[in-house]
Amino acid sequence: MRKALPILLILSAIGLSASAQGIAGGHVTGAFQTDIQMSHADSVIGAQDVEERLLINTRADILYQNGNFRAGLRFEAYQNPLLGFEPKNLYKGQGIAHYFMNYSTQRFSITAGHFYEQFGSGMILRAYEDRYLGLDNALLGATITYRPVNGVTLKAVAGKQRYYWDYGAGLVRGLDAEVNLNSVVKPLAESPLHLTIGAGYVSKYEEDETIYQPSNPEYKLNLPLNVGAGAARLDLSYGGFSLQTEYARKGQDPSADNDYIYRHGEALTLSAGYAQSGFSAQVQAKRVDNMSFRSVRSQSGQMLYINYIPAINRQHAYTFLSMYPYATQTTGEMGLQADIIYSIDAGTPLGGHYGTDINLNCAVITGLDTTQVGERGTEGYTSPFFGTGDLYYGDLSLEVAKKLSPKLKLTATVAYQVFNPIVEGHGGDLHHNAIAIADLTWKVNKRNRLRFEAEWLGSDSRYTAASADRRAGDWVMGLVEWNIGRHWFISASDQYAYNDGVGNYYNLAAGYSQGATRLTLGYGKQREGLLCIGGVCRQVPATNGLTFSLTTSF
Amino acid sequence: MKKSIITALFAIAAMVSVCAQNAKFPDNINIKTLDGQTVTTSVIQNDGRPIIISFWATWCKPCNLELNTMKDVYPEWQEETGVKIVAISIDDARSTNRVKPHAEGKKWPYEIYLDPNQDLKRAMNVGDIPHTFIINGKGEIVYQHTSYVEGDEEDLIEKVRELLQD
């Protein structure tokens, strides 16, 4: 019955549109994606045999829109799930995973069914989806957004979170208000100072359960059934200057993530920047302390998070720059990031004939300076606000992009990274990596482009059978990509450990794209490692074989 | 269960065939300005002339290439066709604060909005980026394209020119 519900919903939507505006009113749009994988064993890179031979993930989104009314559903199928979608038995299956109805005017929006929402930067609430991470914590329930006057936005949400093909037991309720003072306060209407303030509160309810203190097994923890988290934020800009800050605080929330301690949680982010045409500089700082917030207290892994704490370091796009990706430590971390972008004008000594773009970025992330004060069932630890702990991650990179001639463009990057394996949950020495990358695009003629990429990574880590870290060692990589005509591309790449490492990861790919449809076919070896998007990471195993992917929107 | 899915699919197919005209660009989705103000997509206007809408993110290399390349030809395009380019950033909390400095640093002359909750991205069925749309003077979506390689921008302006001839 529950599965038939979305169908009824869509049919009623069709009926509604037929009666209100005639059957011709409204539009159906959608998207479709399928990914197919065939992988076979390779002991060098650690790829396992796939007993099904063929793994397929498919999704189709259908959206119906008629004036202010919108309804949608999403079909998902994991038959069986691609490698890395673990635990496999929980992902496996097919059906309508997402459905909703929405009515929106310029002032008012109400959604019943599944929805995504975010308060501020998401430190107390962010329901979102990432298909590549296999992550979807959509809320099933209802949400209202109301803008009574220009500049004021009020939101209310209530629901349960999606958990694979089921829902978490906890209830999530939240309220948020945001005011743009320039729209509301008359004297500020024409002011060059732009000011937006906001605040939100989220509460989760979960039934009691029995958790004992390990050293006193007769002591059962008195668990809070309702846990609240509040946040306040400010967004200010004046000419080229801008400042954004948000502070969040969470009540006692003993959970598997913090080993059932009763310390409150808090997080602070601060971002200050200056930007003018051709130049910008920005500094960001963050402190996170015991801020894992889930709708089910016993949950570990990546599901059922109510909030989202992004990583503060830059999200890199090149292979070796993202070989050691940083995953946010929601239990505690401190971070600083600085970023400078400078476009040097053409015709100046540094800019040359066509101008030069420079981007300098650095980030440092550490743990907290914590002192243990008790075990499970107590405050757990204390930590001074400005105290830093172990170095988790460091990253310094310089990227220079330069057009050499009307046909040639070069982007060169050098970087230095320090990575502490403790952020992946295991000990070991720090990895120190130096990286250099050259990326050259050659516009052969109007419709043919060749792109060459050469990457080098020098590391002080070496591969050992005990650590089995296949990223270790010194690496080189080459890539050639040829865009042929309007629709086709082929590419070939190889990553090779020339010193202290193992593995030779070659890849061949070809693709076709037209309009909003894209087909790609690949053959080769894919490295095991962390796939990270926005500081959230998923372990993906090594694969060796064929991949096929089709995406389209209509 | 299976029957009801098939019924629904048929109903949808019937509707698609009935309403073969182009879908409208939604005007009631909440997005944010670079100053942090929440507005609806009704602010995206160009006085009855075409609009190019490009979904991008600070970390997306081909998106940056597309927006950088169009920067050079945009003044000519505007003069010739009156087209407006609107860039919608789908950066999440990790990098929303970087969008404004990023765009300024790269001297992008576009109207830029933030879609941090990805409401507009979902309403327009955008999966991977870059994903670029052309909206005609009546607010209808008349063309869309995913991915970018240099030269694709010439297809965009060709489509815009065709719209003006109709």
Side-chain angles (χ1 to χ4, degrees), chain A residues 154-458:
Chain A
L154 307 170
K155 290 177 185 172
V157 302
K160 283 185 164 193
Q161 290 184 293
R162 180 178 175 193
Y163 180 73
Y164 302 99
W165 289 99
D166 200 353
Y167 299 91
L171 296 178
V172 179
R173 295 81 46 107
L175 286 171
D176 187 76
E178 192 171 280
V179 180
N180 175 258
L181 292 171
N182 301 79
S183 308
V184 176
V185 183
K186 274 241 164 76
L188 279 176
E190 299 299 317
S191 167
L193 178 75
H194 293 269
L195 202 57
T196 302
I197 54 171
Y201 185 79
V202 175
S203 157
K204 69 139 184 189
Y205 167 78
E206 199 188 347
E207 283 178 13
D208 200 12
E209 64 189 295
T210 303
I211 308 281
Y212 294 106
Q213 200 174 40
S215 58
N216 301 296
E218 69 275 23
Y219 287 176
K220 172 185 172 297
L221 298 187
N222 182 15
L223 297 168
L225 306 185
N226 290 284
V227 176
R233 57 187 187 268
L234 170 80
D235 186 324
L236 181 154
S237 63
Y238 184 89
F241 293 95
S242 62
L243 178 80
Q244 291 96 4
T245 181
E246 180 163 359
Y247 175 75
R249 192 176 169 92
K250 186 181 61 138
Q252 292 182 337
D253 183 19
S255 69
D257 284 330
N258 63 18
D259 197 27
Y260 297 94
I261 60 167
Y262 282 65
R263 180 181 167 78
H264 72 267
E266 66 177 357
L268 177 71
T269 60
L270 182 74
S271 166
Y274 173 75
Q276 66 176 55
S277 183
F279 174 80
S280 73
Q282 199 192 24
V283 185
Q284 289 182 291
K286 157 173 110 156
R287 183 181 191 278
V288 178
D289 185 350
N290 192 24
M291 263 317 266
S292 160
F293 189 29
R294 302 193 199 234
S295 60
V296 171
R297 62 176 80 85
S298 59
Q299 185 68 31
S300 57
Q302 64 175 7
M303 292 306 206
L304 295 174
Y305 271 111
I306 300 170
N307 68 341
Y308 171 72
I309 310 278
I312 200 169
N313 57 314
R314 180 177 173 181
Q315 184 155 331
H316 291 293
Y318 288 107
T319 307
F320 286 170
L321 283 172
S322 49
M323 190 133 107
Y324 292 84
Y326 183 74
T328 302
Q329 308 295 300
T330 52
T331 49
E333 65 173 30
M334 284 177 89
L336 263 180
Q337 186 199 207
D339 192 70
I340 291 173
I341 298 176
Y342 186 28
S343 298
I344 305 171
D345 284 333
T348 57
L350 278 173
H353 194 55
Y354 299 98
T356 304
D357 292 340
I358 293 177
N359 185 354
L360 180 67
N361 181 281
C362 84
V364 179
I365 303 168
T366 72
L368 301 179
D369 173 18
T370 57
T371 310
Q372 202 76 20
V373 294
E375 55 164 329
R376 187 180 276 197
T378 70
E379 273 283 297
Y381 64 90
T382 59
S383 94
F385 191 84
F386 290 103
T388 56
D390 293 340
L391 176 69
Y392 283 169
Y393 184 80
D395 183 355
L396 177 67
S397 68
L398 174 70
E399 183 184 292
V400 178
K402 188 154 181 51
K403 204 167 165 179
L404 303 175
S405 76
K407 296 195 167 210
L408 282 179
K409 194 184 165 193
L410 176 72
T411 304
T413 307
V414 286
Y416 184 74
Q417 294 179 341
V418 185
F419 181 84
N420 190 337
I422 203 160
V423 303
E424 292 175 352
H426 48 86
D429 296 332
L430 292 178
H431 297 254
H432 297 84
N433 303 320
I435 298 151
I437 297 164
D439 179 349
L440 183 75
T441 304
W442 176 27
K443 211 171 166 179
V444 183
N445 54 41
K446 205 174 172 191
R447 276 293 170 182
N448 281 277
R449 283 154 308 278
L450 272 168
R451 194 170 78 83
F452 305 92
E453 199 178 291
E455 302 194 21
W456 170 79
L457 182 144

Side-chain angles (χ1 to χ4, degrees), chain A residues 27 29 64 106 116 121 132 178 183 278 280 282 308 311 313 315 337 343 345 446-447 449 486 515 553, chain B residues 15 22 27-28 32 37 40 42 92-94 97-98 101 104-105 107 117 125 128 146 150 154-155:
Chain A
H27 295 278
T29 57
Y64 171 76
Q106 293 296 316
Y116 299 102
S121 63
Y132 298 107
E178 192 171 280
S183 308
S280 73
Q282 199 192 24
Y308 171 72
N313 57 314
Q315 184 155 331
Q337 186 199 207
S343 298
D345 284 333
K446 205 174 172 191
R447 276 293 170 182
R449 283 154 308 278
R486 278 161 198 270
S553 304
Chain B
M15 279 168 56
N22 297 311
D27 68 348
N28 55 6
K32 286 197 151 198
Q37 191 183 345
T40 64
S42 64
D92 69 14
R94 181 178 189 177
N97 292 338
R98 298 175 51 132
E104 287 275 0
K107 298 186 186 175
N117 194 37
N125 298 298
D128 298 331
T146 51
E150 276 171 284
E154 285 157 25
D155 291 348

Side-chain angles (χ1 to χ4, degrees), chain A residues 114 146 523:
Chain A
H114 293 86
Y146 179 46
Y523 179 78

Side-chain angles (χ1 to χ4, degrees), chain A residues 97-130:
Chain A
H98 187 99
Y99 51 88
F100 72 92
M101 283 202 284
N102 167 278
Y103 187 83
S104 294
T105 66
Q106 293 296 316
R107 294 266 172 236
F108 185 79
S109 172
I110 179 162
T111 307
H114 293 86
F115 62 90
Y116 299 102
E117 188 50 274
Q118 170 174 339
F119 291 172
S121 63
M123 289 203 296
I124 57 167
L125 179 102
R126 186 182 186 220
Y128 74 111
E129 186 234 348
D130 193 298

